[in-house]
Amino acid sequence: MPLGRELPQLLKQRLFHKGRKFNFEVNRLRLPNKTEGEWECIRHPGGALAVPVTSEGKLVLIRQYRFAVQGRLLEFPAGTLELNEDPLQTIQREIEEETGYHADKWDKLGEFFLAPGYSDEIIYAFLARDLQKLEIPPKQDEDEDIETVLLTPEELDQAIREGEPVDAKSIASFFLARSFLI
């Protein structure tokens, strides 16, 4: 089981909704400490993220419109894993679609739960180097509203400190990549 899982006992599944990107469940559970109750959970296939770095040391980010927060967030490129897809394959596809760059060198930075209070989504983070700008980038998904942004690590650090909207998976992955960026 990934990341130290300890399964509760399923007593009853009360609600299940299958969505396009994730599923939603409400279950009656018995936890390992014997507590019983109902809990809601988003079941997500996981996501992969890249911290792309140019040869000049600039970070390649995107500013993306997110309907749930009704605004644009600064993020590293990322995408949802397809069924039985390796996380590296996911992010190799997504970096090209979202930024128009291709990376020849990949290092795994780590993996982490995104919001374990209500979701089982795991983010697989990678460092992407030896970038090349694609002459003809792949077409973005129809629902994506994305602008590519190049920042130095210091500029991203300042944006985070000053409260620019940056998503949590990008902040966590930036922290994991810092030793490579010095």
Side-chain angles (χ1 to χ4, degrees):
M1 284 188 233
L3 297 177
R5 294 221 174 139
E6 188 177 352
L7 298 178
Q9 181 183 359
L10 175 63
L11 301 174
K12 180 180 179 186
Q13 186 168 60
R14 188 169 70 80
L15 176 67
F16 179 81
H17 173 75
K18 184 171 179 62
R20 185 173 58 95
K21 291 261 187 180
F22 58 83
N23 299 333
F24 179 75
E25 312 178 342
V26 179
N27 295 320
R28 181 152 189 86
L29 304 171
R30 180 176 297 123
L31 302 180
N33 70 359
K34 307 298 182 220
T35 301
E36 289 186 21
E38 279 198 357
W39 283 275
E40 301 88 13
C41 184
I42 293 171
R43 299 290 180 196
H44 193 283
L49 173 145
V51 177
V53 185
T54 68
S55 58
E56 297 82 26
K58 295 260 186 157
L59 302 170
V60 180
L61 294 105
I62 58 174
R63 186 167 282 115
Q64 181 166 205
Y65 181 80
R66 295 296 194 170
F67 73 91
V69 298
Q70 301 173 350
R72 297 177 190 282
L73 297 178
L74 193 58
E75 309 175 25
F76 285 116
T80 302
L81 276 63
E82 300 290 337
L83 186 64
N84 299 316
E85 186 177 42
D86 180 74
L88 183 57
Q89 287 178 297
T90 301
I91 195 53
Q92 287 173 333
R93 177 187 69 248
E94 291 291 334
I95 192 175
E96 291 184 6
E97 288 177 7
E98 293 186 353
T99 69
Y101 282 90
H102 171 82
D104 285 330
K105 185 168 185 192
W106 293 89
D107 299 291
K108 186 169 183 183
L109 294 172
E111 56 192 62
F112 53 89
F113 288 107
L114 189 58
Y118 59 83
S119 174
D120 66 350
E121 181 177 5
I122 295 175
I123 299 295
Y124 300 90
F126 296 89
L127 184 70
R129 295 185 278 184
D130 294 345
L131 300 181
Q132 295 127 39
K133 189 78 171 146
L134 298 171
E135 285 186 37
I136 303 172
K139 189 175 179 183
Q140 291 181 349
D141 293 339
E142 187 177 295
D143 64 341
E144 291 180 322
D145 182 355
I146 294 175
E147 166 195 5
T148 302
V149 179
L150 298 176
L151 297 175
T152 65
E154 295 77 22
E155 289 169 331
L156 177 56
D157 197 50
Q158 181 178 352
I160 293 167
R161 281 194 325 274
E162 290 179 356
E164 182 166 345
V166 181
D167 75 323
K169 71 184 182 311
S170 297
I171 294 171
S173 298
F174 180 49
F175 177 80
L176 292 172
R178 288 182 84 80
S179 64
F180 292 91
L181 305 175
I182 297 173

